[in-house]
Amino acid sequence: QNEKELQDVVKQQEEKMLQLIDKSGEVMRLNAEVSELKRLLQRAETEAKVLWEEMRGKEHQVDTAYIQERVMLRREVDKLRQLLLEKEDEIVRLTDKY
């Protein structure tokens, strides 16, 4: 009787652990999706910012090559900022862990 109860409890615990692992995987997937959406939003905001700056003073004299270069450079700056933030977060996690 006691052995059967113990087996049931162990089985329930194993099921709970598997559910937690599944939820953990889902949370990681959702976090990755949120990161990708944030990156895409930042990219769109960057393009909009550059285009707005260029269009502000020039109604008819738009140099598309110059605008594309500015967008590319702004993206690169944003990308480097993002990498810096990720590294800083990683350092904080590592220092908290150890």
Side-chain angles (χ1 to χ4, degrees), residues 6-57:
L6 182 59
Q7 286 177 346
D8 288 344
V9 169
V10 168
K11 185 176 180 179
Q12 289 174 354
Q13 287 299 100
E14 287 175 350
E15 288 173 2
K16 286 180 184 178
M17 286 176 52
L18 289 174
Q19 288 174 348
L20 287 174
I21 289 170
D22 286 345
K23 287 180 183 177
S24 173
E26 179 70 8
V27 167
M28 288 185 348
R29 188 189 65 74
L30 289 172
N31 281 337
E33 187 175 335
V34 166
S35 289
E36 177 66 12
L37 290 171
K38 284 180 180 179
R39 188 187 66 74
L40 291 171
L41 174 62
Q42 185 179 32
R43 183 176 185 168
E45 288 173 342
T46 296
E47 290 178 15
K49 193 183 308 181
V50 169
L51 291 172
W52 180 253
E53 288 172 0
E54 286 304 310
M55 297 305 291
R56 193 177 305 150

Side-chain angles (χ1 to χ4, degrees), residues 54-65:
E54 286 304 310
M55 297 305 291
R56 193 177 305 150
K58 304 175 182 178
E59 289 189 20
H60 299 293
Q61 41 180 304
V62 178
D63 181 358
T64 56

